[in-house]
Amino acid sequence: MITENLRHPSALRASPIGALSSADIRSTLQPELSESHTQAAEALVKQAANILEQLTQATVPEFNGRGSLNFGWERSETFNAGAAKFGVGHDYLIQIAIGAPTTLLAMAHEIWAHGERAPSPRTLLEEDILDGHMRPGEITPKAYKVALDATCLLYFHELSHVLWNHCQLDWEGTPSTDRRALEYQADNHAALTFVSWKAGPANSGQATNWHAIAEDLVLAALLLSTALKGFSAPSDDYHFPTTRLFAFMGGGFRAIAELCTKRSEALPFPDIEAEQAFLFSPMLAFLELLRATALRRLAGTEAEIVADVEQMHTVTVPREQELDASMGSLWALLDKGVSGD
């Protein structure tokens, strides 16, 4: 999403990568969190900071002196992220609140709780979890990993807003149908970048585990989409998580096919039937888990999902294709020497 508070340079509240201290992170956490939960949240933010610094530095050279890409953290407990162009040239900022990864961790812990749910002194509501409260119990490695992957996917989503010229738009003045189409486009390209990042350089003589990478993307996309739906309600800018998964996986499967071709590896998903067969099981398993939690409203009912999928195919995708043809990429804009004014 593109947040309005990033529209003006005076509102940019980012701090440089590496400037986050333990005190900064802990100041954004719910005070009643257990020490083990606090340590896990702090570790997650620090690990995400290291990864996102590397990703930003790897992207900067692609501007080739024609602009800049900056990343910073907002010291806030809320789930917030945004991308914006500032100044008169092609200078961009991606900003993520500390509360984004910590909230994703709270949500992942709620969904993938270890074993039997420990009795809670109070019943956690949806708004509690979205505010970063956590149920008692150990945070599993799976919950931690999915939250970290979802944080990286959120970064790639915001990067896609930059690279596909969405920051040139007056977001608040853009119709909801167009905003939804642009979010679809950002999801699609974010997944493509996520897969390329996960795959890394080709390993000579060793095949890439594409199924594992695809599963990482599925779970990260479902968790992130659930969070985005939760914080956009009752906005109609966002599809339900399982619907939005198709936008992410469209880019993910395309990236896998392209990389397999370049690496002369066999296609793990040779046709759309194989892709759908792969998606079916983890998607249904996630829905079942989500509907057993306090976040169940964000899953949508069967009727809501059917209507949402229909809207995606008949409205969102056609509009995304129209916008893609008219807007193009930032690299094409820079190659033409177009001013950032």
Side-chain angles (χ1 to χ4, degrees):
M1 57 184 168
I2 303 176
T3 52
E4 183 63 21
N5 66 343
L6 294 184
R7 290 257 163 236
H8 305 287
S10 61
L12 300 179
R13 300 190 297 274
S15 53
I17 284 289
L20 289 179
S21 66
S22 294
D24 290 326
I25 299 170
R26 288 178 175 241
S27 70
T28 67
L29 302 177
Q30 293 296 339
E32 66 270 25
L33 287 183
S34 69
E35 182 59 23
S36 64
H37 286 172
T38 298
Q39 290 176 359
E42 182 181 343
L44 177 69
V45 175
K46 288 183 175 179
Q47 188 174 0
N50 288 332
I51 294 172
L52 300 189
E53 177 183 14
Q54 294 172 14
L55 293 172
T56 302
Q57 294 306 313
T59 306
V60 167
E62 297 186 48
F63 280 83
N64 197 24
R66 299 169 297 180
S68 67
L69 178 68
N70 306 276
F71 174 76
W73 292 96
E74 179 188 352
R75 289 179 174 85
S76 171
E77 72 280 2
T78 60
F79 185 102
N80 192 27
K85 185 173 79 71
F86 61 93
V88 296
H90 289 286
D91 299 310
Y92 298 88
L93 171 70
I94 296 173
Q95 180 173 288
I96 297 177
I98 297 172
T102 57
T103 301
L104 287 167
L105 182 62
M107 295 176 67
H109 179 51
E110 170 72 8
I111 295 168
W112 289 286
H114 180 65
E116 294 294 326
R117 294 190 183 278
S120 177
R122 63 188 177 88
T123 301
L124 288 183
L125 303 175
E126 175 189 313
E127 55 265 30
D128 293 324
I129 300 166
L130 295 180
D131 281 339
H133 295 275
M134 297 191 200
R135 289 188 180 278
E138 178 188 358
I139 295 176
T140 65
K142 180 174 184 176
Y144 182 97
K145 181 179 185 299
V146 177
L148 180 62
D149 281 346
T151 301
C152 295
L153 188 60
L154 174 61
Y155 172 89
F156 290 134
H157 174 90
E158 298 304 337
L159 179 62
S160 294
H161 279 310
V162 171
L163 299 183
W164 292 92
N165 284 324
H166 301 171
C167 295
Q168 314 292 334
L169 300 172
D170 173 13
W171 196 253
E172 292 303 308
T174 302
S176 61
T177 298
D178 286 7
R179 289 199 298 267
R180 193 183 304 112
L182 294 170
E183 293 293 345
Y184 180 98
Q185 186 179 64
D187 289 347
N188 191 275
H189 289 284
L192 193 152
T193 312
F194 180 93
V195 167
S196 299
W197 166 62
K198 281 278 187 174
N203 294 320
S204 178
Q206 184 176 353
T208 309
N209 190 342
W210 297 112
H211 283 85
I213 292 174
E215 183 177 358
D216 286 348
L217 176 58
V218 168
L219 296 181
L222 286 168
L223 180 62
L224 177 59
S225 298
T226 302
L228 292 172
K229 186 65 178 175
F231 285 94
S232 71
S235 166
D236 59 356
D237 289 353
Y238 297 103
H239 288 291
F240 282 107
T242 47
T243 308
R244 201 163 178 173
L245 178 64
F246 292 105
F248 280 110
M249 294 311 298
F253 284 133
R254 186 169 80 253
I256 290 172
E258 291 175 356
L259 288 171
C260 283
T261 299
K262 289 180 180 178
R263 300 179 181 191
S264 300
E265 296 183 20
L267 292 176
F269 311 106
D271 50 43
I272 192 169
E273 288 76 17
E275 294 173 356
Q276 292 176 344
F278 175 83
L279 283 178
F280 190 70
S281 179
M283 184 174 68
L284 289 185
F286 179 85
L287 263 183
E288 183 178 355
L289 289 171
L290 185 60
R291 286 173 173 162
T293 72
L295 302 168
R296 64 183 65 86
R297 179 187 65 83
L298 305 178
T301 64
E302 295 300 329
E304 287 174 329
I305 291 175
V306 168
D308 198 43
V309 171
E310 176 68 16
Q311 184 183 59
M312 181 188 70
H313 287 304
T314 61
V315 179
T316 302
V317 172
R319 185 55 182 150
E320 186 274 331
Q321 293 171 344
E322 293 172 355
L323 291 171
D324 183 52
S326 63
M327 295 180 66
S329 71
L330 175 64
W331 304 138
L333 190 72
L334 292 174
D335 287 342
K336 292 178 182 178
V338 177
S339 169
D341 295 351

